[in-house]
Amino acid sequence: MESKAGAIARATLDEPGDSMSTFHAVIWLDHAQAHVLHFDANAADAVHLKLRGKHARHPQQSDVNAFFADVGNALEDASEVLVTGAAGAPADFAAWARGHRPALENKIVAVETLAQPTDNQLVAHARKVFVKVDRLNGTPTPS
């Protein structure tokens, strides 16, 4: 599947059950790629997005907006989102969500700068963060 912003690849981590809850999602992104992972207590489903096109090395704002829109689309089913990534990309994505997708902005529970982990490391980190967030909010963590 190809989007306006670039290539999309899907992968499943672990072994999902018959019905996978997409309550939590975590993304790791920079300005050229994004790893979007929806997960529950036992499994994770990954979508990898890449910015492509003639401006991939030095993208124009319209390219970045299209890329962020694709990332936002991949997060539609999540109830809570942890945004992580390199340098200023997480803050840029959160600002984009504030301006273009207020409903998505309301789902973002934290924004962190994080060196690029593997997908499994990212899910493990996100599980720890969401347990803390859920405890602070008095929300039971779905299993």
Side-chain angles (χ1 to χ4, degrees):
M1 179 188 304
E2 186 79 19
S3 70
K4 181 179 176 186
I8 299 174
R10 296 185 184 276
T12 299
L13 308 174
D14 307 318
E15 294 195 25
D18 291 337
S19 63
M20 175 137 166
S21 166
T22 56
F23 187 79
H24 290 128
V26 59
I27 63 172
W28 183 94
L29 75 159
D30 59 21
H31 288 101
Q33 65 177 324
H35 295 227
V36 180
L37 295 107
H38 294 268
F39 62 94
D40 62 17
N42 302 311
D45 184 44
V47 176
H48 297 163
L49 302 159
K50 289 190 178 205
L51 176 69
R52 302 230 182 205
K54 61 184 177 181
H55 302 290
R57 293 197 102 204
H58 303 287
Q60 295 182 355
Q61 190 59 46
S62 61
D63 297 328
V64 173
N65 285 339
F67 174 62
F68 283 170
D70 284 344
V71 173
N73 291 342
L75 294 167
E76 283 181 353
D77 293 336
S79 296
E80 294 181 336
V81 178
L82 171 61
V83 180
T84 70
D92 291 346
F93 178 75
W96 175 89
R98 186 177 319 105
H100 295 87
R101 304 255 180 104
L104 174 58
E105 181 198 17
N106 292 334
K107 296 177 182 184
I108 296 173
V109 298
V111 177
E112 301 179 352
T113 300
L114 186 67
Q116 187 172 7
T118 66
D119 285 351
N120 286 331
Q121 290 169 330
L122 184 58
V123 169
H125 173 71
R127 284 183 174 133
K128 290 176 186 176
V129 170
F130 281 117
V131 166
K132 290 177 185 176
V133 168
D134 288 346
R135 282 185 187 151
L136 287 172
N137 293 333
T139 306
T141 301
S143 52

